[in-house]
Amino acid sequence: TKRYRIALVPGDGIGREVLPPACAVLDAVGARHGIGFDYDPFDWSCERYAAEGAMMPADGLDRIRHHDAILLGAVGWPGTPDHVSLWGLLIPVRRRFRQYVNLRPIRILDGVPGPLANAPDVDFVVVRENVEGEYSEVGGRLNRGFPDEMAIQEAVFTRPGVERVLEYAFTLAGRRGKDLVSATKSNGIVHTMPFWDELVAERATRHPGVAWRQEHIDALVAKIVLDPGRFDVIVASNLFGDILSDLAAAVAGGIGIAPAANLNPERDFPSMFEPVHGSAPDIAGQGVANPLGAIWCASMMLDHLGHPEAAAEVYGSFTHVLATTPVRTRDLGGTASTKEFTDLVLDAI
Amino acid sequence: TKRYRIALVPGDGIGREVLPPACAVLDAVGARHGIGFDYDPFDWSCERYAAEGAMMPADGLDRIRHHDAILLGAVGWPGTPDHVSLWGLLIPVRRRFRQYVNLRPIRILDGVPGPLANAPDVDFVVVRENVEGEYSEVGGRLNRGFPDEMAIQEAVFTRPGVERVLEYAFTLAGRRGKDLVSATKSNGIVHTMPFWDELVAERATRHPGVAWRQEHIDALVAKIVLDPGRFDVIVASNLFGDILSDLAAAVAGGIGIAPAANLNPERDFPSMFEPVHGSAPDIAGQGVANPLGAIWCASMMLDHLGHPEAAAEVYGSFTHVLATTPVRTRDLGGTASTKEFTDLVLDAI
Ligand SMILES: CC(C)[C@H](C(=O)O)[C@@H](O)C(=O)O
Ligand SMILES: CC(C)[C@H](C(=O)O)[C@@H](O)C(=O)O
């Protein structure tokens, strides 16, 4: 049996309710494939911040440095400023572990109706740059509180930082055999987006088999709503990717069940898998959270660890439950508990 | 008769085909209200750039400085890099004339189906900051062409720049009697968005009658798709407003007919009105462009010039044509020419 050490960071709210189902699914599918998991839980969270003044210990990242992967539930809780919880945990993990690809699969699943009147087949992937760009600590504030106060935010795009995520996206598009769209805004943003465009054009020459084009972010969000079926792989900067991936998940009806993978493709560091839904304070503690996002994350983790068949089985099991039963958690209009839904997925495996 | 001097900048492609209908409508409604218009045409465009190396003459802005308003058709043409055409014309006009509010009304119109399965009543306004923020010439490029190349883009938010657009948005929300949503990303963007949030909270204390909340841009784009009926006024930075207004127009089915007003609320400088659709090279010159966006712009211009009844008549005339006839231009699935549709609107006035 091959064994993996998984760092479990349930975090806040329903993050704590959706990771146990994901682990149960991993154990079940692992048993059929000769794979085992050892889970190390870490209590890093806004609760910890309230009690100890930090989201995680000073040496937190060292403690999970050698794990094979990280499963994160959700980070954030009313009372803790967002930038504290995010820059105190999520973002440092992404950066220190060079998880420079944020991968967001977008699919309309049978049994999960989306908001569009004419929902075509939707099956695409947003590849988001995940460690640099518009999210940065560079910049600051002048003349605080005075009439001439100002704030400056620097977006920093580096050639290696952009090239590696483009390489990932072009390779993925080549493997999927379809096309690549690069999100830009080089008509409004003067320095970084023209640079991004140049690097895309450069990189394209190494992937002559991939058809690609670029779209300005404003036109692109409109097209995702009007014709989501035409996309296959979209590559975008940190901020644009953040916006596009949530928009696309909404269009696919899956904002509450979407998974995200924060990947270090070189495997020099552990990658991190987190459902997109957040901590959902309004329903936390009631046992009604939808575990699907976390279970989908488990599938992505298996794929990343080199077990595509096991990954496909997990994906197949929850899509089967959705397509063949009316059992749904509250967010999808049903009355099932987290446990009821999870049990069906486990049965399907 | 009150007379207005209007600077006409048809620009490129279908920009040239949609301004004459807008002028015809203005003349017709003006005749009924004792308002007259003198139009001064300017050939500023990508064609001019190709011929003379500049989108407009060096003293271009001085030439329209004292006009009462500017009607712009569309800017952009294949072969002219976007940043040339935009930073050579559109953006300098916005900035030099302190058109710091970009106003985008979002409505689902009777007879123009949107993409959503359950289209509720949609009637909201995006108030976009229009002259500073993420669009800036500050920043640059290091080590061009080398492996350690990088590009830096500075977003600059000033207290007066943010306060004035917030004041406009809060006042508008107060007048509409509903609520205000501020778009932010203070969980990812460290310096400018927390500053924006603080200024929103400060400004709110001067408008105690306005209910307001803030939403992160990623969550907000999802909500606009899932529940557009819940919005009334959205205020956003330059980049976020650009993204939100095109997204919202798509959700409302109106990407091809949406108008935009670039306002200098103090009226120290002329304001500019431009349909959102762009120059549409694929259909330019065929007489089939949809003039609705430009006509809706004419309505917004009348309102800005202090003629709300005339503005309402224009709005009423094209919504009446849409609601009571099947006549549509090609973009809306019909076969009518620009002229056929315009004539119906003129009849309705
Ligand atoms: C063309 C472009 C620079 C412009 C913008 O982003 O401001 C356009 O999208 C708009 O919304 O008017
Ligand atoms: C919480 C926030 C900082 C984060 C981001 O924008 O990266 C989240 O939206 C995500 O997509 O993982």
Side-chain angles (χ1 to χ4, degrees):
Chain A
T1 305
K2 177 123 186 62
R3 295 202 74 79
Y4 293 101
R5 276 183 75 201
I6 309 297
L8 282 189
V9 184
D12 301 295
I14 65 167
R16 304 174 184 189
E17 300 169 44
V18 297
L19 285 202
C23 296
V25 166
L26 282 169
D27 291 336
V29 78
R32 298 169 33 90
H33 288 264
I35 321 167
F37 299 94
D38 300 309
Y39 304 106
D40 286 334
F42 296 86
D43 70 346
W44 308 343
S45 59
C46 293
E47 193 172 297
R48 186 184 188 283
Y49 174 78
E52 309 184 34
M55 296 291 295
M56 60 179 171
D59 67 345
L61 295 182
D62 295 335
R63 299 192 195 183
I64 59 175
R65 161 87 191 73
H66 296 289
H67 283 70
D68 295 299
I70 305 159
L71 265 180
L72 181 81
V75 181
W77 199 250
T80 308
D82 283 340
H83 61 272
V84 167
S85 52
L86 280 325
W87 284 86
L89 173 51
L90 185 72
I91 294 180
V93 174
R94 289 178 177 169
R95 289 179 183 219
R96 191 96 81 82
F97 293 160
R98 303 221 139 206
Q99 296 165 349
Y100 61 80
V101 170
N102 188 301
L103 203 64
R104 295 274 302 262
I106 308 294
R107 303 221 182 109
I108 290 194
L109 302 182
D110 232 21
V112 182
L116 296 185
N118 267 315
D121 237 22
V122 171
D123 176 3
F124 65 96
V125 183
V126 179
V127 177
R128 167 186 176 189
E129 201 293 316
N130 206 33
V131 299
E132 58 167 46
E134 303 89 344
Y135 289 20
S136 94
E137 283 168 299
V138 190
R141 201 99 152 241
L142 285 174
N143 306 320
R144 204 177 270 258
F146 287 98
D148 54 353
E149 184 170 7
M150 65 171 73
I152 291 176
Q153 176 73 46
E154 303 207 3
V156 183
F157 287 69
T158 68
R159 177 178 276 274
V162 175
E163 281 179 344
R164 63 191 175 190
V165 71
L166 294 179
E167 179 61 26
Y168 187 93
F170 271 102
T171 303
L172 181 64
R175 204 161 67 228
R176 290 173 60 109
K178 305 236 194 76
D179 61 6
L180 178 74
V181 169
S182 165
T184 188
K185 186 69 206 182
S186 44
N187 56 356
I189 292 177
V190 176
H191 302 286
T192 48
M193 283 295 133
F195 178 51
W196 173 278
D197 292 355
E198 279 174 43
L199 295 182
V200 173
E202 256 182 57
R203 186 69 19 186
T205 63
R206 305 204 188 182
H207 298 267
V210 177
W212 69 279
R213 63 185 193 280
Q214 64 185 47
E215 300 259 15
H216 293 303
I217 183 74
D218 49 336
L220 185 53
V221 295
K223 285 181 186 167
I224 286 178
V225 168
L226 297 172
D227 195 5
R230 76 199 261 181
F231 294 100
D232 189 48
V233 177
I234 298 177
V235 65
S237 68
N238 207 337
L239 176 65
F240 290 173
D242 179 43
I243 295 170
L244 289 169
S245 49
D246 271 17
L247 172 68
V251 164
I255 195 80
I257 62 174
N262 298 273
L263 299 180
N264 172 255
E266 289 75 23
R267 296 172 165 72
D268 295 328
F269 297 94
S271 292
M272 174 168 65
F273 302 83
E274 45 158 344
V276 168
H277 50 58
S279 62
D282 51 323
I283 58 158
Q286 300 176 32
V288 298
N290 191 339
L292 241 173
I295 294 172
W296 196 340
C297 280
S299 165
M300 294 184 85
M301 186 183 96
L302 285 166
D303 196 53
H304 176 75
L305 292 173
H307 302 283
E309 304 81 16
E313 262 179 48
V314 171
Y315 182 78
S317 66
F318 67 76
T319 51
H320 178 77
V321 172
L322 290 173
T324 60
T325 82
V327 177
R328 300 285 183 277
T329 45
R330 200 190 285 176
D331 56 306
L332 295 180
T335 58
S337 67
T338 307
K339 182 169 180 332
E340 281 158 355
F341 190 87
T342 304
D343 286 344
L344 282 185
V345 175
L346 290 171
D347 286 350
I349 289 179
Chain B
T1 303
K2 178 125 185 60
R3 294 203 75 80
Y4 294 100
R5 275 183 75 203
I6 308 298
L8 283 189
V9 184
D12 302 294
I14 65 166
R16 304 174 185 189
E17 300 169 44
V18 297
L19 286 201
C23 296
V25 166
L26 282 169
D27 291 336
V29 78
R32 298 169 32 92
H33 288 263
I35 321 168
F37 300 93
D38 300 308
Y39 305 105
D40 286 335
F42 296 86
D43 69 348
W44 308 343
S45 59
C46 294
E47 194 172 296
R48 187 183 187 284
Y49 174 78
E52 310 185 31
M55 296 291 294
M56 59 178 172
D59 67 345
L61 295 182
D62 295 334
R63 298 192 196 183
I64 58 174
R65 161 86 190 75
H66 296 289
H67 283 70
D68 294 300
I70 305 158
L71 266 179
L72 181 81
V75 181
W77 199 251
T80 308
D82 284 339
H83 62 273
V84 168
S85 53
L86 280 325
W87 284 86
L89 174 50
L90 185 72
I91 294 180
V93 174
R94 289 179 178 169
R95 290 181 182 217
R96 192 96 82 82
F97 293 160
R98 302 220 139 209
Q99 296 165 348
Y100 62 81
V101 169
N102 188 301
L103 203 64
R104 294 276 300 262
I106 308 294
R107 303 222 182 108
I108 291 195
L109 302 182
D110 232 22
V112 182
L116 297 186
N118 266 314
D121 236 21
V122 170
D123 176 2
F124 66 96
V125 183
V126 178
V127 176
R128 166 186 176 189
E129 200 293 316
N130 207 33
V131 299
E132 57 167 46
E134 303 89 344
Y135 290 19
S136 94
E137 283 168 299
V138 190
R141 201 101 152 240
L142 286 173
N143 306 320
R144 205 178 269 261
F146 286 99
D148 53 354
E149 183 170 7
M150 66 171 72
I152 291 177
Q153 177 72 46
E154 304 207 1
V156 182
F157 287 69
T158 68
R159 176 178 277 274
V162 176
E163 282 179 345
R164 64 191 175 189
V165 71
L166 294 180
E167 180 62 25
Y168 186 93
F170 270 103
T171 303
L172 181 64
R175 204 161 67 229
R176 290 173 59 110
K178 305 233 194 80
D179 61 7
L180 178 74
V181 170
S182 164
T184 188
K185 186 68 206 182
S186 45
N187 56 356
I189 292 177
V190 175
H191 302 286
T192 48
M193 283 296 133
F195 178 51
W196 173 278
D197 292 354
E198 280 174 40
L199 295 182
V200 173
E202 256 180 57
R203 187 66 22 185
T205 62
R206 305 203 189 184
H207 298 268
V210 176
W212 68 279
R213 62 185 194 281
Q214 64 185 47
E215 300 259 15
H216 293 303
I217 184 74
D218 49 337
L220 185 53
V221 295
K223 284 180 188 170
I224 285 177
V225 168
L226 297 172
D227 195 5
R230 76 200 264 182
F231 294 100
D232 189 48
V233 177
I234 298 177
V235 64
S237 68
N238 208 337
L239 176 65
F240 290 172
D242 178 44
I243 296 170
L244 289 170
S245 49
D246 271 17
L247 173 67
V251 164
I255 196 79
I257 62 174
N262 299 272
L263 300 179
N264 172 253
E266 288 74 23
R267 295 170 166 72
D268 295 329
F269 298 94
S271 291
M272 174 168 64
F273 301 83
E274 45 158 342
V276 168
H277 49 59
S279 62
D282 51 324
I283 59 158
Q286 302 176 30
V288 299
N290 192 338
L292 242 173
I295 294 172
W296 196 340
C297 281
S299 166
M300 294 184 84
M301 187 183 95
L302 285 165
D303 196 54
H304 176 75
L305 292 174
H307 302 283
E309 305 79 17
E313 261 179 46
V314 172
Y315 182 78
S317 66
F318 67 76
T319 51
H320 177 78
V321 172
L322 290 174
T324 60
T325 82
V327 178
R328 300 286 183 276
T329 45
R330 200 190 285 176
D331 56 308
L332 296 180
T335 58
S337 68
T338 308
K339 182 168 180 335
E340 281 158 355
F341 189 87
T342 304
D343 286 344
L344 282 185
V345 175
L346 290 170
D347 286 348
I349 288 180

